[in-house]
mmCIF file of all heavy atoms in Angstrom:
data_model
loop_
_atom_site.group_PDB
_atom_site.id
_atom_site.type_symbol
_atom_site.label_atom_id
_atom_site.label_comp_id
_atom_site.label_asym_id
_atom_site.label_seq_id
_atom_site.Cartn_x
_atom_site.Cartn_y
_atom_site.Cartn_z
ATOM 1 N N LEU A 287 -6.814 -10.350 11.191
ATOM 2 C CA LEU A 287 -6.394 -9.430 12.245
ATOM 3 C C LEU A 287 -6.715 -7.975 11.920
ATOM 4 O O LEU A 287 -6.245 -7.070 12.602
ATOM 5 C CB LEU A 287 -4.888 -9.579 12.496
ATOM 6 C CG LEU A 287 -4.433 -10.981 12.911
ATOM 7 C CD1 LEU A 287 -2.930 -11.040 13.055
ATOM 8 C CD2 LEU A 287 -5.124 -11.409 14.186
ATOM 9 N N GLY A 288 -7.488 -7.757 10.872
ATOM 10 C CA GLY A 288 -7.866 -6.406 10.488
ATOM 11 C C GLY A 288 -7.408 -6.071 9.080
ATOM 12 O O GLY A 288 -6.654 -6.817 8.458
ATOM 13 N N ASN A 289 -7.886 -4.945 8.586
ATOM 14 C CA ASN A 289 -7.526 -4.517 7.241
ATOM 15 C C ASN A 289 -6.050 -4.154 7.161
ATOM 16 O O ASN A 289 -5.487 -3.580 8.099
ATOM 17 C CB ASN A 289 -8.370 -3.329 6.802
ATOM 18 C CG ASN A 289 -9.783 -3.733 6.458
ATOM 19 O OD1 ASN A 289 -10.066 -4.901 6.189
ATOM 20 N ND2 ASN A 289 -10.689 -2.774 6.465
ATOM 21 N N ILE A 290 -5.465 -4.481 6.026
ATOM 22 C CA ILE A 290 -4.061 -4.186 5.754
ATOM 23 C C ILE A 290 -4.004 -3.340 4.487
ATOM 24 O O ILE A 290 -4.607 -3.696 3.468
ATOM 25 C CB ILE A 290 -3.250 -5.489 5.558
ATOM 26 C CG1 ILE A 290 -3.230 -6.306 6.858
ATOM 27 C CG2 ILE A 290 -1.841 -5.183 5.075
ATOM 28 C CD1 ILE A 290 -2.596 -7.682 6.715
ATOM 29 N N THR A 291 -3.307 -2.220 4.564
ATOM 30 C CA THR A 291 -3.103 -1.372 3.403
ATOM 31 C C THR A 291 -1.823 -1.801 2.699
ATOM 32 O O THR A 291 -0.791 -2.006 3.340
ATOM 33 C CB THR A 291 -3.012 0.110 3.814
ATOM 34 O OG1 THR A 291 -4.252 0.488 4.405
ATOM 35 C CG2 THR A 291 -2.723 1.001 2.615
ATOM 36 N N LEU A 292 -1.905 -1.937 1.383
ATOM 37 C CA LEU A 292 -0.763 -2.299 0.553
ATOM 38 C C LEU A 292 -0.429 -1.127 -0.354
ATOM 39 O O LEU A 292 -1.331 -0.460 -0.858
ATOM 40 C CB LEU A 292 -1.097 -3.512 -0.330
ATOM 41 C CG LEU A 292 -1.695 -4.739 0.341
ATOM 42 C CD1 LEU A 292 -2.110 -5.763 -0.708
ATOM 43 C CD2 LEU A 292 -0.713 -5.339 1.315
ATOM 44 N N THR A 293 0.855 -0.875 -0.563
ATOM 45 C CA THR A 293 1.286 0.103 -1.559
ATOM 46 C C THR A 293 2.356 -0.554 -2.429
ATOM 47 O O THR A 293 3.092 -1.431 -1.972
ATOM 48 C CB THR A 293 1.853 1.395 -0.928
ATOM 49 O OG1 THR A 293 2.982 1.081 -0.108
ATOM 50 C CG2 THR A 293 0.797 2.123 -0.107
ATOM 51 N N ALA A 294 2.412 -0.114 -3.668
ATOM 52 C CA ALA A 294 3.383 -0.682 -4.604
ATOM 53 C C ALA A 294 3.819 0.365 -5.612
ATOM 54 O O ALA A 294 3.072 1.291 -5.934
ATOM 55 C CB ALA A 294 2.798 -1.884 -5.347
ATOM 56 N N SER A 295 5.040 0.169 -6.098
ATOM 57 C CA SER A 295 5.529 0.923 -7.247
ATOM 58 C C SER A 295 5.079 0.141 -8.484
ATOM 59 O O SER A 295 4.266 -0.775 -8.387
ATOM 60 C CB SER A 295 7.052 1.018 -7.185
ATOM 61 O OG SER A 295 7.619 -0.287 -7.308
ATOM 62 N N GLU A 296 5.643 0.453 -9.618
ATOM 63 C CA GLU A 296 5.319 -0.290 -10.841
ATOM 64 C C GLU A 296 5.639 -1.770 -10.702
ATOM 65 O O GLU A 296 4.924 -2.619 -11.220
ATOM 66 C CB GLU A 296 6.095 0.283 -12.038
ATOM 67 C CG GLU A 296 5.643 1.640 -12.487
ATOM 68 C CD GLU A 296 4.313 1.618 -13.208
ATOM 69 O OE1 GLU A 296 3.950 0.597 -13.818
ATOM 70 O OE2 GLU A 296 3.628 2.661 -13.162
ATOM 71 N N ASN A 297 6.762 -2.084 -9.977
ATOM 72 C CA ASN A 297 7.278 -3.446 -9.995
ATOM 73 C C ASN A 297 7.427 -4.133 -8.652
ATOM 74 O O ASN A 297 7.844 -5.283 -8.613
ATOM 75 C CB ASN A 297 8.661 -3.452 -10.670
ATOM 76 C CG ASN A 297 8.609 -2.892 -12.066
ATOM 77 O OD1 ASN A 297 7.754 -3.260 -12.847
ATOM 78 N ND2 ASN A 297 9.518 -1.987 -12.382
ATOM 79 N N ALA A 298 7.144 -3.441 -7.534
ATOM 80 C CA ALA A 298 7.439 -4.044 -6.238
ATOM 81 C C ALA A 298 6.518 -3.507 -5.146
ATOM 82 O O ALA A 298 6.044 -2.370 -5.213
ATOM 83 C CB ALA A 298 8.897 -3.773 -5.861
ATOM 84 N N LEU A 299 6.338 -4.326 -4.124
ATOM 85 C CA LEU A 299 5.596 -3.929 -2.942
ATOM 86 C C LEU A 299 6.445 -2.939 -2.152
ATOM 87 O O LEU A 299 7.622 -3.187 -1.888
ATOM 88 C CB LEU A 299 5.290 -5.166 -2.080
ATOM 89 C CG LEU A 299 4.356 -4.966 -0.898
ATOM 90 C CD1 LEU A 299 2.933 -4.654 -1.383
ATOM 91 C CD2 LEU A 299 4.353 -6.217 -0.018
ATOM 92 N N THR A 300 5.856 -1.815 -1.770
ATOM 93 C CA THR A 300 6.591 -0.795 -1.014
ATOM 94 C C THR A 300 6.050 -0.611 0.394
ATOM 95 O O THR A 300 6.719 0.005 1.227
ATOM 96 C CB THR A 300 6.553 0.565 -1.742
ATOM 97 O OG1 THR A 300 5.182 0.956 -1.910
ATOM 98 C CG2 THR A 300 7.249 0.494 -3.096
ATOM 99 N N GLY A 301 4.853 -1.108 0.675
ATOM 100 C CA GLY A 301 4.289 -0.945 2.001
ATOM 101 C C GLY A 301 3.229 -1.978 2.303
ATOM 102 O O GLY A 301 2.499 -2.423 1.407
ATOM 103 N N LEU A 302 3.168 -2.375 3.573
ATOM 104 C CA LEU A 302 2.151 -3.302 4.055
ATOM 105 C C LEU A 302 1.952 -2.982 5.529
ATOM 106 O O LEU A 302 2.833 -3.241 6.342
ATOM 107 C CB LEU A 302 2.630 -4.751 3.855
ATOM 108 C CG LEU A 302 1.605 -5.862 4.117
ATOM 109 C CD1 LEU A 302 1.975 -7.106 3.338
ATOM 110 C CD2 LEU A 302 1.485 -6.189 5.584
ATOM 111 N N TRP A 303 0.825 -2.333 5.854
ATOM 112 C CA TRP A 303 0.569 -1.876 7.219
ATOM 113 C C TRP A 303 -0.831 -2.261 7.647
ATOM 114 O O TRP A 303 -1.782 -2.131 6.875
ATOM 115 C CB TRP A 303 0.636 -0.353 7.310
ATOM 116 C CG TRP A 303 1.908 0.272 6.915
ATOM 117 C CD1 TRP A 303 2.995 0.472 7.718
ATOM 118 C CD2 TRP A 303 2.245 0.831 5.645
ATOM 119 N NE1 TRP A 303 3.972 1.112 7.003
ATOM 120 C CE2 TRP A 303 3.545 1.341 5.725
ATOM 121 C CE3 TRP A 303 1.567 0.939 4.433
ATOM 122 C CZ2 TRP A 303 4.189 1.961 4.662
ATOM 123 C CZ3 TRP A 303 2.198 1.539 3.370
ATOM 124 C CH2 TRP A 303 3.495 2.042 3.498
ATOM 125 N N PHE A 304 -0.969 -2.673 8.905
ATOM 126 C CA PHE A 304 -2.301 -2.803 9.484
ATOM 127 C C PHE A 304 -2.876 -1.401 9.633
ATOM 128 O O PHE A 304 -2.165 -0.475 10.036
ATOM 129 C CB PHE A 304 -2.235 -3.458 10.878
ATOM 130 C CG PHE A 304 -2.026 -4.940 10.840
ATOM 131 C CD1 PHE A 304 -0.791 -5.479 11.164
ATOM 132 C CD2 PHE A 304 -3.065 -5.793 10.487
ATOM 133 C CE1 PHE A 304 -0.592 -6.851 11.133
ATOM 134 C CE2 PHE A 304 -2.871 -7.159 10.458
ATOM 135 C CZ PHE A 304 -1.639 -7.698 10.783
ATOM 136 N N GLU A 305 -4.139 -1.250 9.317
ATOM 137 C CA GLU A 305 -4.771 0.055 9.536
ATOM 138 C C GLU A 305 -4.676 0.399 11.012
ATOM 139 O O GLU A 305 -4.868 -0.458 11.871
ATOM 140 C CB GLU A 305 -6.225 0.025 9.074
ATOM 141 C CG GLU A 305 -6.342 0.038 7.566
ATOM 142 C CD GLU A 305 -7.775 0.101 7.072
ATOM 143 O OE1 GLU A 305 -8.721 0.215 7.895
ATOM 144 O OE2 GLU A 305 -7.954 0.034 5.852
ATOM 145 N N GLY A 306 -4.321 1.632 11.290
ATOM 146 C CA GLY A 306 -4.189 2.096 12.659
ATOM 147 C C GLY A 306 -2.844 1.786 13.288
ATOM 148 O O GLY A 306 -2.631 2.080 14.455
ATOM 149 N N GLU A 307 -1.935 1.215 12.516
ATOM 150 C CA GLU A 307 -0.607 0.900 13.037
ATOM 151 C C GLU A 307 0.081 2.180 13.504
ATOM 152 O O GLU A 307 -0.151 3.257 12.954
ATOM 153 C CB GLU A 307 0.214 0.249 11.909
ATOM 154 C CG GLU A 307 1.300 -0.643 12.383
ATOM 155 C CD GLU A 307 1.928 -1.437 11.256
ATOM 156 O OE1 GLU A 307 1.307 -2.376 10.738
ATOM 157 O OE2 GLU A 307 3.075 -1.093 10.913
ATOM 158 N N GLU A 308 0.947 2.055 14.494
ATOM 159 C CA GLU A 308 1.606 3.226 15.082
ATOM 160 C C GLU A 308 2.274 4.097 14.022
ATOM 161 O O GLU A 308 2.171 5.307 14.037
ATOM 162 C CB GLU A 308 2.634 2.779 16.121
ATOM 163 C CG GLU A 308 3.276 3.937 16.837
ATOM 164 C CD GLU A 308 4.193 3.495 17.956
ATOM 165 O OE1 GLU A 308 4.243 2.299 18.277
ATOM 166 O OE2 GLU A 308 4.866 4.384 18.505
ATOM 167 N N TYR A 309 2.999 3.482 13.107
ATOM 168 C CA TYR A 309 3.679 4.241 12.047
ATOM 169 C C TYR A 309 3.000 3.967 10.713
ATOM 170 O O TYR A 309 3.642 3.736 9.711
ATOM 171 C CB TYR A 309 5.160 3.864 11.989
ATOM 172 C CG TYR A 309 5.856 4.077 13.303
ATOM 173 C CD1 TYR A 309 6.277 3.008 14.078
ATOM 174 C CD2 TYR A 309 6.065 5.359 13.781
ATOM 175 C CE1 TYR A 309 6.904 3.206 15.292
ATOM 176 C CE2 TYR A 309 6.685 5.567 15.000
ATOM 177 C CZ TYR A 309 7.107 4.484 15.743
ATOM 178 O OH TYR A 309 7.724 4.694 16.954
ATOM 179 N N TYR A 310 1.679 4.002 10.740
ATOM 180 C CA TYR A 310 0.865 3.685 9.577
ATOM 181 C C TYR A 310 1.349 4.462 8.360
ATOM 182 O O TYR A 310 1.473 5.673 8.401
ATOM 183 C CB TYR A 310 -0.599 4.013 9.889
ATOM 184 C CG TYR A 310 -1.584 3.666 8.812
ATOM 185 C CD1 TYR A 310 -1.794 2.343 8.454
ATOM 186 C CD2 TYR A 310 -2.295 4.645 8.160
ATOM 187 C CE1 TYR A 310 -2.711 2.008 7.486
ATOM 188 C CE2 TYR A 310 -3.223 4.329 7.189
ATOM 189 C CZ TYR A 310 -3.423 3.010 6.851
ATOM 190 O OH TYR A 310 -4.331 2.683 5.878
ATOM 191 N N GLY A 311 1.626 3.744 7.309
ATOM 192 C CA GLY A 311 2.154 4.372 6.102
ATOM 193 C C GLY A 311 1.145 5.274 5.440
ATOM 194 O O GLY A 311 -0.008 4.911 5.272
ATOM 195 N N LYS A 312 1.586 6.406 5.095
ATOM 196 C CA LYS A 312 0.749 7.363 4.383
ATOM 197 C C LYS A 312 1.362 7.590 3.007
ATOM 198 O O LYS A 312 2.561 7.793 2.882
ATOM 199 C CB LYS A 312 0.699 8.701 5.127
ATOM 200 C CG LYS A 312 0.230 8.582 6.565
ATOM 201 C CD LYS A 312 -1.267 8.647 6.644
ATOM 202 C CE LYS A 312 -1.741 8.762 8.054
ATOM 203 N NZ LYS A 312 -2.236 7.582 8.648
ATOM 204 N N VAL A 313 0.529 7.532 1.995
ATOM 205 C CA VAL A 313 1.001 7.870 0.662
ATOM 206 C C VAL A 313 1.195 9.368 0.625
ATOM 207 O O VAL A 313 0.324 10.132 1.012
ATOM 208 C CB VAL A 313 -0.006 7.408 -0.419
ATOM 209 C CG1 VAL A 313 0.458 7.822 -1.794
ATOM 210 C CG2 VAL A 313 -0.211 5.903 -0.341
ATOM 211 N N SER A 314 2.355 9.792 0.211
ATOM 212 C CA SER A 314 2.686 11.204 0.214
ATOM 213 C C SER A 314 1.701 12.004 -0.632
ATOM 214 O O SER A 314 1.326 11.601 -1.719
ATOM 215 C CB SER A 314 4.106 11.394 -0.333
ATOM 216 O OG SER A 314 4.366 12.765 -0.532
ATOM 217 N N ALA A 315 1.291 13.133 -0.090
ATOM 218 C CA ALA A 315 0.382 14.017 -0.826
ATOM 219 C C ALA A 315 1.034 14.527 -2.104
ATOM 220 O O ALA A 315 0.353 14.921 -3.039
ATOM 221 C CB ALA A 315 -0.038 15.179 0.065
ATOM 222 N N LYS A 316 2.364 14.524 -2.138
ATOM 223 C CA LYS A 316 3.074 15.008 -3.322
ATOM 224 C C LYS A 316 3.110 13.959 -4.435
ATOM 225 O O LYS A 316 3.437 14.269 -5.560
ATOM 226 C CB LYS A 316 4.507 15.390 -2.949
ATOM 227 C CG LYS A 316 4.588 16.543 -1.985
ATOM 228 C CD LYS A 316 6.018 16.819 -1.616
ATOM 229 C CE LYS A 316 6.080 17.910 -0.547
ATOM 230 N NZ LYS A 316 7.428 18.110 -0.067
ATOM 231 N N MET A 317 2.803 12.708 -4.089
ATOM 232 C CA MET A 317 2.859 11.640 -5.076
ATOM 233 C C MET A 317 1.448 11.259 -5.488
ATOM 234 O O MET A 317 0.543 11.186 -4.673
ATOM 235 C CB MET A 317 3.574 10.416 -4.504
ATOM 236 C CG MET A 317 5.006 10.682 -4.132
ATOM 237 S SD MET A 317 5.834 9.155 -3.699
ATOM 238 C CE MET A 317 6.254 8.579 -5.313
ATOM 239 N N GLU A 318 1.291 10.998 -6.745
ATOM 240 C CA GLU A 318 0.000 10.550 -7.243
ATOM 241 C C GLU A 318 -0.184 9.084 -6.851
ATOM 242 O O GLU A 318 0.711 8.264 -7.016
ATOM 243 C CB GLU A 318 -0.035 10.710 -8.765
ATOM 244 C CG GLU A 318 -1.361 10.363 -9.369
ATOM 245 C CD GLU A 318 -1.376 10.539 -10.872
ATOM 246 O OE1 GLU A 318 -0.424 11.121 -11.421
ATOM 247 O OE2 GLU A 318 -2.342 10.080 -11.481
ATOM 248 N N SER A 319 -1.346 8.761 -6.299
ATOM 249 C CA SER A 319 -1.627 7.379 -5.951
ATOM 250 C C SER A 319 -2.941 6.957 -6.607
ATOM 251 O O SER A 319 -3.796 7.786 -6.903
ATOM 252 C CB SER A 319 -1.703 7.195 -4.439
ATOM 253 O OG SER A 319 -2.818 7.868 -3.922
ATOM 254 N N ARG A 320 -3.043 5.655 -6.807
ATOM 255 C CA ARG A 320 -4.238 5.149 -7.471
ATOM 256 C C ARG A 320 -4.568 3.765 -6.937
ATOM 257 O O ARG A 320 -3.693 2.884 -6.902
ATOM 258 C CB ARG A 320 -3.981 5.088 -8.968
ATOM 259 C CG ARG A 320 -5.114 4.498 -9.764
ATOM 260 C CD ARG A 320 -4.868 4.566 -11.234
ATOM 261 N NE ARG A 320 -3.644 3.845 -11.571
ATOM 262 C CZ ARG A 320 -3.368 3.376 -12.768
ATOM 263 N NH1 ARG A 320 -4.194 3.562 -13.761
ATOM 264 N NH2 ARG A 320 -2.262 2.730 -12.997
ATOM 265 N N PRO A 321 -5.838 3.554 -6.517
ATOM 266 C CA PRO A 321 -6.242 2.208 -6.130
ATOM 267 C C PRO A 321 -6.137 1.281 -7.345
ATOM 268 O O PRO A 321 -6.450 1.681 -8.463
ATOM 269 C CB PRO A 321 -7.700 2.370 -5.694
ATOM 270 C CG PRO A 321 -7.865 3.821 -5.413
ATOM 271 C CD PRO A 321 -6.904 4.531 -6.316
ATOM 272 N N CYS A 322 -5.670 0.061 -7.099
ATOM 273 C CA CYS A 322 -5.464 -0.847 -8.229
ATOM 274 C C CYS A 322 -5.448 -2.292 -7.732
ATOM 275 O O CYS A 322 -4.398 -2.832 -7.418
ATOM 276 C CB CYS A 322 -4.149 -0.506 -8.930
ATOM 277 S SG CYS A 322 -3.837 -1.524 -10.383
ATOM 278 N N LYS A 323 -6.602 -2.905 -7.642
ATOM 279 C CA LYS A 323 -6.685 -4.290 -7.166
ATOM 280 C C LYS A 323 -6.010 -5.271 -8.126
ATOM 281 O O LYS A 323 -5.594 -6.346 -7.720
ATOM 282 C CB LYS A 323 -8.144 -4.693 -6.970
ATOM 283 C CG LYS A 323 -8.778 -4.034 -5.780
ATOM 284 C CD LYS A 323 -9.981 -4.822 -5.338
ATOM 285 C CE LYS A 323 -10.522 -4.310 -4.051
ATOM 286 N NZ LYS A 323 -9.650 -4.439 -2.908
ATOM 287 N N GLU A 324 -5.919 -4.933 -9.386
ATOM 288 C CA GLU A 324 -5.404 -5.866 -10.389
ATOM 289 C C GLU A 324 -3.895 -5.790 -10.590
ATOM 290 O O GLU A 324 -3.357 -6.464 -11.452
ATOM 291 C CB GLU A 324 -6.117 -5.637 -11.727
ATOM 292 C CG GLU A 324 -7.628 -5.800 -11.643
ATOM 293 C CD GLU A 324 -8.057 -7.122 -11.003
ATOM 294 O OE1 GLU A 324 -7.480 -8.175 -11.339
ATOM 295 O OE2 GLU A 324 -8.952 -7.080 -10.142
ATOM 296 N N HIS A 325 -3.207 -4.999 -9.807
ATOM 297 C CA HIS A 325 -1.755 -4.881 -9.926
ATOM 298 C C HIS A 325 -1.127 -6.253 -9.668
ATOM 299 O O HIS A 325 -1.472 -6.925 -8.692
ATOM 300 C CB HIS A 325 -1.243 -3.856 -8.906
ATOM 301 C CG HIS A 325 0.162 -3.413 -9.111
ATOM 302 N ND1 HIS A 325 1.234 -4.275 -9.035
ATOM 303 C CD2 HIS A 325 0.677 -2.195 -9.384
ATOM 304 C CE1 HIS A 325 2.346 -3.608 -9.250
ATOM 305 N NE2 HIS A 325 2.035 -2.326 -9.467
ATOM 306 N N PRO A 326 -0.217 -6.727 -10.538
ATOM 307 C CA PRO A 326 0.377 -8.057 -10.355
ATOM 308 C C PRO A 326 1.075 -8.236 -9.005
ATOM 309 O O PRO A 326 1.028 -9.324 -8.430
ATOM 310 C CB PRO A 326 1.383 -8.180 -11.498
ATOM 311 C CG PRO A 326 1.071 -7.089 -12.451
ATOM 312 C CD PRO A 326 0.259 -6.060 -11.743
ATOM 313 N N VAL A 327 1.704 -7.192 -8.482
ATOM 314 C CA VAL A 327 2.368 -7.294 -7.183
ATOM 315 C C VAL A 327 1.325 -7.524 -6.089
ATOM 316 O O VAL A 327 1.551 -8.308 -5.157
ATOM 317 C CB VAL A 327 3.223 -6.045 -6.891
ATOM 318 C CG1 VAL A 327 3.712 -6.022 -5.453
ATOM 319 C CG2 VAL A 327 4.404 -5.984 -7.845
ATOM 320 N N PHE A 328 0.166 -6.889 -6.199
ATOM 321 C CA PHE A 328 -0.882 -7.092 -5.204
ATOM 322 C C PHE A 328 -1.448 -8.504 -5.288
ATOM 323 O O PHE A 328 -1.771 -9.112 -4.270
ATOM 324 C CB PHE A 328 -1.993 -6.057 -5.335
ATOM 325 C CG PHE A 328 -1.569 -4.649 -4.995
ATOM 326 C CD1 PHE A 328 -2.197 -3.570 -5.573
ATOM 327 C CD2 PHE A 328 -0.555 -4.407 -4.081
ATOM 328 C CE1 PHE A 328 -1.831 -2.273 -5.266
ATOM 329 C CE2 PHE A 328 -0.168 -3.109 -3.762
ATOM 330 C CZ PHE A 328 -0.809 -2.042 -4.357
ATOM 331 N N SER A 329 -1.569 -9.046 -6.502
ATOM 332 C CA SER A 329 -2.032 -10.434 -6.648
ATOM 333 C C SER A 329 -1.073 -11.386 -5.952
ATOM 334 O O SER A 329 -1.496 -12.283 -5.220
ATOM 335 C CB SER A 329 -2.146 -10.800 -8.129
ATOM 336 O OG SER A 329 -3.107 -9.997 -8.758
ATOM 337 N N GLN A 330 0.232 -11.189 -6.144
ATOM 338 C CA GLN A 330 1.235 -12.036 -5.492
ATOM 339 C C GLN A 330 1.197 -11.845 -3.973
ATOM 340 O O GLN A 330 1.315 -12.816 -3.221
ATOM 341 C CB GLN A 330 2.630 -11.697 -6.018
ATOM 342 C CG GLN A 330 2.853 -12.067 -7.456
ATOM 343 C CD GLN A 330 4.189 -11.549 -7.950
ATOM 344 O OE1 GLN A 330 5.146 -11.429 -7.195
ATOM 345 N NE2 GLN A 330 4.249 -11.228 -9.230
#
């Protein structure tokens, strides 16, 4: 159904949004973010 953006903290999933969703989650500019395909939460 389209690309889904995932966000996670060290230990848990914090966001799962379809791209273009009305309230599409944005990673705060004040917080450091990093792409990480190998994160265990993302694997699960």
Side-chain angles (χ1 to χ4, degrees):
L287 301 177
N289 286 340
I290 295 173
T291 298
L292 309 173
T293 60
S295 64
E296 290 287 333
N297 303 312
L299 188 68
T300 58
L302 189 155
W303 301 274
F304 283 106
E305 286 184 4
E307 206 170 287
E308 184 174 353
Y309 303 110
Y310 183 65
K312 304 273 190 258
V313 177
S314 171
K316 296 177 185 174
M317 298 188 83
E318 184 180 349
S319 67
R320 176 175 59 158
C322 183
K323 288 201 172 296
E324 302 308 316
H325 193 297
V327 170
F328 293 152
S329 297
Q330 292 173 31

